[in-house]
Every structure is written in structure tokens, then in C-alpha cells.
Amino acid sequence: MKTALITGITGQDGSYLTEILLNKGYTVHGLIRRSSSFNTGRIDHLYNNPEILNKKLFLHYGDLTDTSNLNRLLEKTHPSEIYNLAAQSHVKVSFEIPEYTAEVDGVGTLRFLDAIRETEIKTKFYQASTSELYGKVQQIPQDEKTPFYPRSPYGVAKIYGYWIVVNYREAYNLFACNGILFNHESPRRGETFVTRKITRAAARILLGLQNNLSLGNLNAKRDWGYAPEYCEGMWRILQQDEPEDFVLATGETHTVREFVKETFSWLGIELEWDGKGKDEKGIVEKIDRELLEKRIDWSENIFNLKLNGKIKKGTTVVEVAPHYYRPTEVDLLIGNPKKAKDELGWEPKVRFKELVDLMIEADFKKVLQRGY
Ligand code: NAP
Ligand code: G4F
């Protein structure tokens, strides 16, 4: 039976990967951080299942900044596969805590690889590398051979992680691989990343819980895919005979503005855009009340929420707040997943519109059920 160790198990990807591996019959060990409030929300459905917890799923306290803990964990769990997903993963936040980001996302990867080398455990190692490595892109679309040019402390820390994986593979013959994953989203995406921030805010605005949505750069373009499919890709990367690096992406790119437009459109609200730069606003142009009512399953609504009566043609629902701008921005990401398709048989199925729809639908439901 295969055993996997997942760092970052409480995050978006960690939670999906855990489900995938449990379904494939793995025993899963997860590294969790001690937190002053609950941080297991995304895995509670597994954690609270007595058939799973401490039978197929085991959780261990630890931190990527704590070397002795990582060594002990490896010796205790003897994983056949390790997925290093833990990271300070917020790009904007990395400008405020650059040193911590380097410690966790860069040196943390080294700590793990070195623990494997020291303990001589026979295992395969997956590193959560990122399209942020391409930053100020040197080629369109980006693939495994595109030169890197990171644009944030996060990107720079992750580039160390990327190269230390390559170096330990070549120097010590470790089975270590980089998955260079483009943005991937889901209803479990952290609420401060732009996609989730948009879908959650749109639901709350429509139900009168929030007045409007403040965003930063509306022009940034991202290649957004669906997280569970990318987690399946991670697993496939480690099932190869030889360790290699792979890009996972959809090959499609859209602006943040398009994501906002599509979200509101699912709710029957057509937006028009007025002004430029920090003065740009998203204004309600048309409301399809019939569609909006159709979208809402009022039976979920135990808080007696009502549709926001203030929303009408001409209402401003989106504004730009320059404090969300980044000191250096990644303007355009679009990946070429050809190698993954050819060698892993991996192909994304959920495209942009479907992704937006499933995220706004899930957030609408959540707000109706929770009342916030
Ligand atoms: P996420 O939701 O932010 O999850 C990050 C995880 O790392 C959480 O479980 C977090 O624990 C944990 N963590 C943070 N600092 C840690 C530390 N010092 N020690 C141990 N654990 C720590 O991120 P995600 O979206 O699932 O992404 C997973 C990985 O893929 C990350 O490495 C990210 O940088 C990378 N990546 C993500 C994307 C994407 O689009 N999602 C694309 C490319 C690469 P808490 O729950 O306690 O905070
Ligand atoms: O959702 P974001 O914060 O994601 P970003 O910066 O692309 O990073 C994510 O994807 C990376 C893969 O490329 C991962 F490695 C990383 O861990 C993370 O998961 O921002 C997307 C875009 C940016 O251009 C940002 O400037 O949206 C723009 N944006 C505009 N307004 C905003 C906002 N981003 C956030 N978070 N919040 C805003 O209000």
C-alpha cells in the first residue's frame, strides 16, 4: 500500500489531493500548523469521519521552518510520495513579509529535500512550483523551456525552490519533480485571492450584505483552471518512470475584469465599465430579475436574506482601490500544457466560464446557508 505525506494539507490543493489519494487507496499523512483558531475547515469532512481519521488519514503538527520536525516526520511516516504544497502562497502579502516567504517557500523546500537525503528514505518528491516564476514573461505562451523572470518576493522564493529541486535531482539522484502550475481555483480557494474574492463579494452584494467590491489591477490576465484537475496532475507527475518537470495550464487567458463580468452575468446582472485606471467603475447596466430569482434556491435561506433592493441600473458595484496594486505586477500568464498532455495524458476539462459559474454558484449557496 502506498503512503503519501502532504504538506499544506489544510490548503485548497492539499484538501483536494488528500481526497484523490484516499480514493486511490493511499494512506495519507498531513502536516498541519498549530493555529489559534480552527484551520482544518477544508478537510473537516475527512477529519470528522471515524472511518478515515487515524485509519487512513493521519495529521501531524509541524512547520516548514522547523528542520528537526521534518526529519522526525519522515522517519516516522516513511512516505513513498511527498507532496510539498505548504507555502506562504499570497503574492501581494509576500511584499510585506519577504523574509518569512523566503524561509518557507524557498529554504523550506531545501529543508525537506535535505531531510530526504539525510534520512536516505526512498521516496518521490513533488514541489508546488508556479507560473509566478515566469513573471515578466519572456515568451507567450509559457512552457517548461521559457526563461524565468519573477516579479515578487514570492516568485523569487519559489524560484529557489524550483532550482533546489533540480539540483538535488541531479546531485543526489533524488526522484524530485516540479509541477509548474498556473492559477487554479475552486470553491475552496482562499477568500483573499481575486477569483474567490469576486464570487463571494458578488453573492454578498446581491443579498445586501456588502455594498460593493474593491479590487486592484483589473487588466491583469491569468490562465485560470480548476483545482481538483490540477491535483490529479500532481499525482500523475509522480507516477512517471523518470523525474521531470511539467507545466499544468489551460492555454486560455482572461482579465480580472472578465472574471468579474462573467460572475455578475451568472446572477443576471450585466455590467458596463466607466473610467480608466484607479477611476474605473463597474456599473449595473441591466438586470434580468427572472434569471436572478432562478439562480437562488430560497430553501437554503434560513437567515431570511432578501435580494438587495438598492441594486438597479446605474448602481456602482465594482470600484478600484489602488492599495491592492502590487509594486511589481505580473501582467499576463498563459501556459502551454502540451508536455503534460503528451506524456501524462493530462488535459483540463473545466474551462473559464464553467469555472466562474461553479464558483459563484457555490458562494451563493454558502452565503444563503451561513448568512454571511
Ligand atoms: P493555500 O490554500 O494558501 O494553502 C497553503 C498551505 O500551506 C496551507 O495548508 C497552510 O497552512 C500551509 N502553510 C503555510 N505556511 C506554512 C508553514 N510555514 N509550514 C507549514 N505549512 C504552512 O495554497 P494552495 O492554493 O492550496 O496552493 C498550494 C501550493 O501550490 C502552494 O505552495 C502555492 O504556492 C502553490 N501554487 C498554487 C497555485 C494556485 O493557483 N493555487 C498555483 C501555483 C502554485 P494554514 O492552513 O495553517 O494556513
Ligand atoms: O488571485 P491572485 O492574488 O493570484 P496570483 O497573484 O496570480 O497568485 C496565485 O497564483 C499563482 C500562480 O500563478 C500562485 F503561485 C500563487 O500562490 C497564487 O495562488 O491575483 C491574480 C491577479 C493579480 O494580477 C492581482 O494584481 O488579480 C489581481 N487583482 C486585482 N485585484 C487582485 C485584486 N488580486 C487580489 N488577491 N486581490 C484583489 O483585490
Side-chain angles (χ1 to χ4, degrees):
M1 194 205 293
K2 283 191 170 179
T3 303
L5 171 60
I6 303 177
T7 73
I9 194 168
T10 54
Q12 170 189 256
D13 290 2
S15 67
Y16 286 120
L17 182 64
T18 303
E19 287 169 6
I20 290 168
L21 296 181
L22 288 173
N23 279 335
K24 291 184 191 292
Y26 280 66
T27 297
V28 176
H29 293 270
L31 181 82
I32 61 164
R33 295 199 287 181
R34 137 73 198 159
S35 162
S36 64
S37 50
F38 293 118
N39 62 353
T40 55
R42 294 185 181 100
I43 52 167
D44 273 350
H45 57 296
L46 306 169
Y47 186 77
N48 292 327
N49 183 338
E51 292 307 309
I52 293 180
L53 188 69
N54 295 331
K55 293 200 171 89
K56 299 169 186 161
L57 171 65
F58 301 84
L59 298 178
H60 311 266
Y61 282 110
D63 198 294
L64 282 198
T65 57
D66 185 338
T67 309
S68 60
N69 166 270
L70 298 180
N71 277 289
R72 265 198 311 280
L73 191 59
L74 279 190
E75 272 168 350
K76 196 164 141 189
T77 59
H78 269 267
S80 43
E81 294 170 16
I82 299 169
Y83 295 86
N84 184 31
L85 310 185
Q88 190 305 90
S89 69
H90 203 285
V91 173
K92 173 77 162 46
V93 171
S94 77
F95 288 96
E96 284 166 51
I97 47 170
E99 190 179 327
Y100 176 75
T101 304
E103 269 298 325
V104 177
D105 301 10
V107 185
T109 311
L110 167 68
R111 286 190 188 98
F112 229 116
L113 290 165
D114 217 47
I116 296 171
R117 190 171 71 93
E118 284 278 308
T119 53
E120 296 183 358
I121 280 167
K122 189 129 189 57
T123 189
K124 294 179 170 184
F125 183 85
Y126 172 89
Q127 168 62 8
S129 284
T130 163
S131 47
E132 279 290 304
L133 300 179
Y134 300 120
K136 190 172 177 181
V137 299
Q138 305 293 297
Q139 185 187 305
I140 299 171
Q142 298 86 50
D143 63 23
E144 293 80 1
K145 296 203 165 68
T146 304
F148 299 138
Y149 193 142
R151 292 273 279 175
S152 64
Y154 169 81
V156 174
K158 283 280 186 178
I159 214 166
Y160 180 85
Y162 172 92
W163 281 116
I164 203 69
V165 163
V166 174
N167 181 248
Y168 269 52
R169 181 164 76 208
E170 293 173 355
Y172 305 114
N173 210 19
L174 296 192
F175 194 110
C177 308
N178 287 291
I180 307 172
L181 271 51
F182 282 65
N183 298 51
H184 44 279
E185 319 293 314
S186 74
R188 294 187 198 167
R189 183 58 141 152
E191 286 97 342
T192 61
F193 295 98
V194 78
T195 54
R196 194 65 209 295
K197 182 173 167 181
I198 294 167
T199 55
R200 188 166 169 269
R204 286 167 46 84
I205 290 170
L206 262 290
L207 291 167
L209 298 167
Q210 186 173 328
N211 288 332
N212 53 31
L213 164 63
S214 295
L215 292 170
N217 181 5
L218 298 173
N219 296 316
K221 288 180 137 182
R222 288 291 181 275
D223 178 330
W224 280 296
Y226 183 43
E229 296 183 338
Y230 287 58
C231 295
E232 165 72 21
M234 295 173 188
W235 175 78
R236 289 194 189 196
I237 289 173
L238 287 198
Q239 307 316 305
Q240 298 302 291
D241 293 334
E242 296 298 325
E244 282 185 41
D245 306 324
F246 289 88
V247 160
L248 300 186
T250 68
E252 230 184 273
T253 192
H254 294 273
T255 61
V256 171
R257 189 182 296 98
E258 286 175 84
F259 199 105
V260 175
K261 187 176 182 298
E262 202 57 56
T263 301
F264 277 90
S265 166
W266 186 87
L267 292 163
I269 309 265
E270 294 310 321
L271 296 182
E272 67 168 9
W273 301 92
D274 188 45
K276 285 244 170 325
K278 64 181 175 36
D279 297 319
E280 185 166 356
K281 292 186 185 344
I283 298 169
V284 175
E285 163 66 9
K286 212 162 90 195
I287 309 176
D288 181 343
R289 297 238 169 239
E290 219 173 284
L291 177 62
L292 179 53
E293 286 284 358
K294 214 169 75 193
R295 295 300 196 199
I296 307 171
D297 182 354
W298 289 115
S299 68
E300 309 269 2
N301 178 17
I302 56 166
F303 293 94
N304 206 19
L305 298 170
K306 294 192 176 51
L307 283 178
N308 189 345
K310 288 190 218 146
I311 301 247
K312 48 183 184 297
K313 183 172 159 63
T315 310
T316 296
V317 283
V318 184
E319 282 177 343
V320 171
H323 65 262
Y324 291 117
Y325 289 161
R326 293 163 184 195
T328 40
E329 175 63 285
V330 173
D331 297 319
L332 162 72
L333 291 174
I334 177 164
N336 176 0
K338 185 173 183 311
K339 181 180 175 192
K341 186 177 175 200
D342 292 349
E343 296 182 25
L344 305 175
W346 181 88
E347 221 176 340
K349 293 192 178 56
V350 176
R351 311 307 293 198
F352 179 69
K353 189 178 180 322
E354 194 182 342
L355 176 68
V356 177
D357 289 358
L358 72 83
M359 288 181 71
I360 175 63
E361 185 171 4
D363 265 329
F364 219 99
K365 204 169 181 167
K366 232 175 241 172
V367 174
L368 283 171
Q369 284 171 346
R370 291 186 188 163
Y372 61 90

